[in-house]
Amino acid sequence: MMNKSSIFKYAFAAFTFTAGSIYAQKSKTIYHKNWIDFNKNGVKDVFEDQLQTVENRVEDLLSQMTVAEKTNQTATLYGYGRVLKDEMPTPDWKQAIWKDGIANMDEALNSLPNNKKAQTEYSFPYSKHAEAINTLQKWFIEETRLGIPVDFTNEGIHGLCHDRATPFCAPIGIGSSWNKNLVRRAGEIAGREAKALGYTNVYAPILDLARDPRWGRVVECYGEDPFLIGELGKNMVNGLQSNGIAATLKHYAVYSVPKGGRDGHARTDPHVTPRELHQIHLYPFKKVIQEAKPFGVMSSYNDWDGIPVTGSFYFLTELLRKQYGFNGYVVSDSEAVEFIASKHRVAKDFKEASVIALKAGLNVWTNFRQPENYINNLRASVADGSLDMKTLDQRVREVLSVKFRLGLFDKPFTENPKVSDKKVHTLDDQKFAEQMNRESIVLLKNANEFLPLDKNKDQKILVTGPLATEIGYTISRYGPSNNPSISILEGLKQYNNGKLNIDFAKGCEVVNDGWPGTEIIDERISEKEQQMVNEAVEKAKNSDVIIAVVGENEKIVGESLSRTSLNLPGRQLNLLKALHATGKPVIMILVNGRPLTINWENHYLTSILETWFLGPSAGKVVAETIFGDNNPGGKLSVTFPKSIGQIELNFPFKPGSHANQPSAGDNGFGKSRVNGVLYPFGYGLSYTKFEYSNLSLDFADKDSISASFILQNIGKRAGDEVVQLYFRDLISSIITYDTQLRAFERIHLKAGETKNITLKFAKKDLAMLDKDMKWTVEPGEFEVQIGSSSEDIRLREKFTL
């Protein structure tokens, strides 16, 4: 006779994937050649038949589902360390609400960075994770009545959010590469890794526009221009979904411009007109949905014009499904449903908010809470008649459709998990991640062609600045974790060929005591802070070159980390001024996640490299760039203002809205404000120079226009140039944007090399929203502009449609 301990161990064994377990026994009866008996009735039902259409399979399964099973397909179960307390199934799961299934499981066993509760032995090696996900999936298939497989979701905005997955630079850096092929391959890598690890749905890309640099999540956006974001987003989706997984766009919609750029508890009240809504903020979503067909969309928790987006039939059904043709499922951002009641106050409680969201078009509720919090709302609403079965069925139908299209009812498990160890973060993947880092770097200033430094010259170099030794910014909550990172100081030391004498002094901290309050009430620099500056200055006096690594770290830019100033924080400007006063050349390496108002720095310092938040190879690629092994070719995907008083200052913009304020003449009465941008959209220098010539337009294709020209590298180094095509609608019935980006390519040229370049854009891309809010290409005169930035236009030609 067994004791209680033995009974528990025996029961637990029944719910774990080991030889001789209940799974092995059931596999004899429910797993058949080319079909699985999910409902365990011994018959191949229509929904189990791979030869049936998706529509027929969905309807058959839906007809067999109870209210409990239907409502369970509308909620997320967060993985271990977030909501789940168990790494593997336990006997208690048979009493948990997910005994009737679940729509998806998010971040299952991925060992989230900076969350010790989520650290698990099942995240690595990769094959062990694939086997663990198979175990979880088998539980849902074998231990629930209908055996509906789970969609395993995970974040992936700059590489898969998983232990030791391939890490890419932050999205703002990806956007600064302006390289569509690079982004496509990044998506392919992240998608391949997701598939190998058992994930079936990746929450990426972010299609929000970084229109206000004060906003904390600028670092997670590709940029500020809708066309650039749409093109990169389309390539990311195509790359991800080429692996047979789903891509889920976020955050739909108008999420990135809360009033005043405030984050945290705000994230509401975007001041966006209807025309701007469609032409700017919805443009990338519409483009990516129609051209790349993503399987998922995440609804945001802000409102627009007084209506919460997650409770808006207009956003989730009229626009998304009827106009854009989206046929996947919509998952809510965390607390988006709750906010309908708690923040927006258009519902009396969470239960009413749940019904509003479901009726609007939401499919799956997501939050870091137990799923019954939402599921029981729907069950009670069905019971009291406030939620009709027709609506519930449609939402479940849309979820099931995605699961069938993903093949979860045909091949629900990761095949050959052992092979996963060879499919994640390979040597080639690592090389690619380093190349993406290289291509994200933007050269902002290079007085007298000071850079690159001569690596074969004996030099004393002082490396200073609070970010020289930091590596925290190389990972994020939404990216890969546990990859070894190289700081910029360490990267320079490793690069040293014996001719470089490298010294270091920190100089200051990222922020000072009392910051950010000291941004509005200045405090005298403390004795300790002054001592740190003095130490750096003394070492600078004995150096030939100063490399100052300054900017922001992950603690002051990111989600819920908006700013009231865009100056370098803390005592960093004090440090730079003191270093400059030594008379030694200063190379400023910017580590940051948003545009900064670096006016003094741009005016006085020798060279400035914008590196954003690079991935773990940060130090290696920065050293390569400083010494010329990498010629920076990135371009800014966001405008740099001179002052926060100029905000909004972004591209595209309406005619006259960026015009200078004259000091004299017509309507000029003196000087009262600073004019112009610090660095425009599309701007970026190189260690070489490019010449444009011979523009010609071709209208042979009835649907598109081709612009051809000659590009020549007239410098002495190989380099990349991002050629940019803008158009201007010269006369229109409604005010249009001054110029709009409509094509771009990143071109590599050897020293002296010449290439014939052709940029093609669709005639429909000349469309505007007319006075009746209809997309129209109006006949008239247009101008094509070809250039190196939105302000550096080299070639122009007018044409008439």
Side-chain angles (χ1 to χ4, degrees):
M1 184 174 180
M2 291 186 291
N3 59 30
K4 290 183 179 180
S5 175
S6 299
I7 293 173
F8 177 80
K9 290 179 181 178
Y10 177 81
F12 180 79
F15 293 95
T16 55
F17 184 41
T18 56
S21 71
I22 191 170
Y23 298 120
Q25 297 167 26
K26 288 192 175 182
S27 66
K28 298 176 182 178
T29 56
I30 73 169
Y31 298 104
H32 305 281
K33 184 177 181 180
N34 296 327
W35 72 285
I36 300 171
D37 188 10
F38 290 99
N39 62 4
K40 308 159 192 69
N41 65 355
V43 176
K44 183 193 287 185
D45 293 80
V46 170
F47 85 91
E48 297 164 347
D49 187 350
Q50 298 180 24
L51 299 180
Q52 293 286 334
T53 64
V54 168
E55 291 74 17
N56 287 344
R57 297 178 79 180
V58 168
E59 294 308 315
D60 180 58
L61 177 55
L62 192 63
S63 70
Q64 299 185 37
M65 296 173 71
T66 64
V67 170
E69 289 162 337
K70 290 176 181 178
T71 52
N72 274 34
Q73 292 299 313
T74 68
T76 294
L77 173 61
Y78 261 98
Y80 173 70
R82 303 296 283 178
V83 169
L84 265 180
K85 306 299 183 186
D86 313 303
E87 294 171 290
M88 290 288 105
T90 71
D92 290 340
W93 283 29
K94 291 296 285 185
Q95 282 72 51
I97 197 163
W98 53 88
K99 69 181 183 298
D100 294 311
I102 203 73
N104 58 33
M105 185 180 290
D106 197 27
E107 299 179 339
L109 304 170
N110 63 343
S111 282
L112 270 172
N114 305 320
N115 180 6
K116 293 181 179 179
K117 292 181 179 178
Q119 298 301 308
T120 171
E121 64 174 297
Y122 293 102
S123 63
F124 186 83
Y126 309 121
S127 55
K128 189 171 185 178
H129 185 269
E131 291 169 348
I133 293 295
N134 279 352
T135 302
L136 296 172
Q137 188 74 283
K138 286 178 75 70
W139 188 91
F140 282 95
I141 289 172
E142 298 181 1
E143 300 302 328
T144 65
R145 188 180 73 91
L146 291 178
I148 299 173
V150 174
D151 183 18
F152 285 95
T153 59
N154 197 4
E155 301 285 351
I157 62 173
H158 60 113
L160 192 68
C161 184
H162 187 90
D163 187 1
R164 282 164 269 197
T166 303
F168 306 133
C169 56
I172 192 64
I174 296 174
S176 295
S177 76
W178 289 63
N179 190 330
K180 291 175 282 189
N181 295 329
L182 197 79
V183 175
R184 165 74 190 227
R185 189 174 170 199
E188 291 172 351
I189 290 171
R192 179 206 338 125
E193 294 185 343
K195 186 79 169 179
L197 286 160
Y199 300 110
T200 51
N201 191 331
V202 175
Y203 290 164
I206 288 179
L207 299 184
D208 301 313
L209 283 81
R211 304 288 284 178
D212 190 331
R214 295 170 297 182
W215 188 57
R217 302 189 83 171
V218 168
V219 67
E220 297 176 9
C221 301
Y222 289 146
E224 69 188 11
D225 178 77
F227 183 81
L228 174 65
I229 294 169
E231 285 293 295
L232 299 183
K234 177 178 69 174
N235 279 276
M236 179 59 73
V237 169
N238 285 335
L240 285 166
Q241 295 196 161
S242 68
N243 293 275
I245 65 165
T248 292
L249 313 179
K250 56 184 192 176
H251 308 86
Y252 180 81
V254 214
Y255 170 73
S256 59
V257 284
K259 186 177 180 181
R262 298 177 184 88
D263 208 338
H265 290 298
R267 314 190 200 196
T268 61
D269 197 20
H271 286 191
V272 174
T273 65
R275 200 168 257 103
E276 183 182 357
L277 169 73
H278 292 281
Q279 293 182 148
I280 298 292
H281 294 277
L282 292 178
Y283 181 96
F285 287 95
K286 180 181 179 182
K287 181 180 183 68
V288 174
I289 288 167
Q290 293 183 339
E291 297 181 18
K293 311 295 183 186
F295 282 16
V297 164
M298 179 181 289
S299 68
S300 56
Y301 36 58
N302 56 280
D303 62 306
W304 180 75
D305 196 25
I307 299 176
V309 170
T310 296
S312 169
F313 185 83
Y314 174 69
F315 274 100
L316 300 190
T317 299
E318 286 290 338
L319 286 178
L320 194 59
R321 294 194 182 275
K322 295 183 179 180
Q323 292 190 32
Y324 300 170
F326 176 69
N327 63 354
Y329 76 78
V330 180
V331 60
S332 71
D333 202 350
S334 299
E335 286 198 85
V337 178
E338 287 87 338
F339 283 163
I340 294 173
S342 64
K343 178 176 290 187
H344 302 303
R345 304 203 303 260
V346 296
K348 64 183 179 182
D349 54 25
F350 182 28
K351 176 174 176 286
E352 184 180 11
S354 302
V355 175
I356 289 173
L358 198 80
K359 288 182 175 179
L362 179 72
N363 296 100
V364 176
W365 166 89
T366 297
N367 199 356
F368 304 111
R369 299 168 62 191
Q370 291 289 345
E372 57 260 36
N373 286 280
Y374 178 76
I375 292 169
N376 287 335
N377 283 346
L378 299 189
R379 292 179 181 179
S381 298
V382 169
D384 66 23
S386 57
L387 176 60
D388 62 280
M389 286 301 299
K390 182 179 179 181
T391 299
L392 178 60
D393 283 352
Q394 182 58 25
R395 298 297 165 260
V396 176
R397 182 178 288 116
E398 290 155 354
V399 174
L400 295 177
S401 175
V402 169
K403 291 188 175 185
F404 277 107
R405 287 157 58 203
L406 287 174
L408 293 179
F409 285 87
D410 303 327
K411 294 182 179 180
F413 307 114
T414 299
E415 298 179 324
N416 301 319
K418 293 297 182 186
V419 180
S420 298
D421 291 326
K422 299 179 180 180
K423 292 184 176 182
V424 183
H425 205 153
T426 66
L427 181 59
D428 284 344
D429 295 338
Q430 179 61 33
K431 291 178 179 178
F432 172 81
E434 291 177 5
Q435 182 61 23
M436 177 168 269
N437 276 343
R438 294 184 188 100
E439 295 198 21
S440 72
I441 295 175
V442 185
L443 179 61
L444 298 179
K445 183 182 180 182
N446 196 23
N448 301 317
E449 299 183 352
F450 186 75
L451 287 176
L453 299 181
D454 185 350
K455 59 186 174 184
N456 296 312
K457 178 182 177 182
D458 291 332
Q459 298 179 78
K460 293 181 179 179
I461 298 175
L462 173 66
V463 181
T464 185
L467 288 148
T469 58
E470 287 222 15
I471 58 173
Y473 65 85
T474 63
I475 61 171
S476 81
R477 155 72 179 85
Y478 297 106
S481 57
N482 300 323
N483 286 302
S485 295
I486 305 171
S487 72
I488 291 174
L489 176 62
E490 186 59 32
L492 287 164
K493 287 181 176 179
Q494 291 180 12
Y495 188 88
N496 192 352
N497 60 1
K499 291 181 177 291
L500 307 176
N501 183 353
I502 296 175
D503 202 357
F504 170 71
K506 191 170 188 179
C508 66
E509 303 294 344
V510 174
V511 299
N512 58 293
D513 291 340
W515 188 91
T518 52
E519 288 186 337
I520 59 173
I521 302 176
D522 191 23
E523 295 288 344
R524 184 176 178 180
I525 188 168
S526 71
E527 184 177 337
K528 179 181 178 182
E529 291 167 340
Q530 189 62 58
Q531 185 177 349
M532 292 181 72
V533 172
N534 293 344
E535 181 187 353
V537 168
E538 289 304 309
K539 290 190 175 185
K541 291 176 181 178
N542 297 317
S543 301
D544 299 310
V545 179
I546 302 165
I547 298 175
V549 189
V550 296
E552 305 171 299
N553 61 15
E554 76 285 358
K555 297 175 183 177
I556 62 172
V557 60
E559 188 169 7
S560 295
L561 294 171
S562 294
R563 287 190 59 188
T564 47
S565 167
L566 294 177
N567 294 335
L568 285 176
R571 304 303 184 188
Q572 296 184 58
L573 185 55
N574 298 68
L575 172 65
L576 292 174
K577 287 182 176 180
L579 294 170
H580 173 70
T582 66
K584 301 299 176 69
V586 179
I587 301 167
M588 183 169 83
I589 308 297
L590 263 184
V591 173
N592 53 306
R594 54 162 66 87
L596 298 177
T597 49
I598 49 172
N599 300 285
W600 184 94
E601 299 88 330
N602 178 68
H603 187 76
Y604 288 103
L605 301 185
T606 306
S607 300
I608 302 175
L609 274 176
E610 172 61 85
T611 68
W612 303 114
F613 278 11
L614 294 170
S617 62
K620 181 177 187 288
V621 300
V622 168
E624 292 172 348
T625 306
I626 289 173
F627 290 99
D629 294 335
N630 174 51
N631 185 351
K635 300 283 187 176
L636 294 180
S637 60
V638 284
T639 301
F640 274 51
K642 293 176 179 176
S643 165
I644 58 170
Q646 295 176 298
I647 296 171
E648 288 187 5
L649 195 72
N650 42 39
F651 184 90
F653 53 88
K654 296 291 179 64
S657 66
H658 281 197
N660 291 342
Q661 180 174 297
S663 57
D666 184 30
N667 205 37
F669 302 97
K671 294 182 178 179
S672 64
R673 70 177 290 123
V674 173
N675 290 323
V677 303
L678 181 59
Y679 308 116
F681 173 78
Y683 170 84
L685 303 176
S686 172
Y687 295 157
T688 188
K689 296 185 184 303
F690 300 92
E691 185 174 83
Y692 294 65
S693 62
N694 293 26
L695 173 62
S696 64
L697 303 181
D698 186 345
F699 300 89
D701 189 330
K702 66 182 180 68
D703 296 322
S704 64
I705 300 170
S706 295
S708 299
F709 57 96
I710 295 173
L711 181 70
Q712 183 179 9
N713 181 347
I714 59 174
K716 298 179 181 179
R717 292 176 177 271
D720 290 1
E721 172 70 332
V722 177
V723 294
Q724 303 161 43
L725 184 152
Y726 300 88
F727 87 91
R728 173 175 284 162
D729 192 340
L730 298 179
I731 301 293
S732 53
S733 61
I734 293 292
I735 296 173
T736 56
Y737 293 96
D738 185 72
T739 56
Q740 296 180 68
L741 179 70
R742 281 299 177 264
F744 61 90
E745 291 292 341
R746 184 164 177 148
I747 308 295
H748 181 77
L749 291 179
K750 299 175 184 177
E753 185 180 4
T754 297
K755 279 187 180 180
N756 292 313
I757 308 298
T758 298
L759 298 177
K760 181 183 287 189
F761 63 100
K763 291 180 180 178
K764 67 179 181 179
D765 284 341
L766 301 174
M768 50 168 277
L769 277 173
D770 66 15
K771 58 183 175 58
D772 298 318
M773 294 295 287
K774 296 184 182 300
W775 286 102
T776 306
V777 179
E778 288 188 338
E781 194 173 18
F782 299 84
E783 183 179 66
V784 166
Q785 303 177 356
I786 305 291
S788 186
S789 82
S790 60
E791 291 189 1
D792 184 9
I793 302 301
R794 309 289 183 88
L795 305 170
R796 303 171 186 266
E797 186 165 329
K798 294 180 182 178
F799 67 93
T800 301
L801 280 183

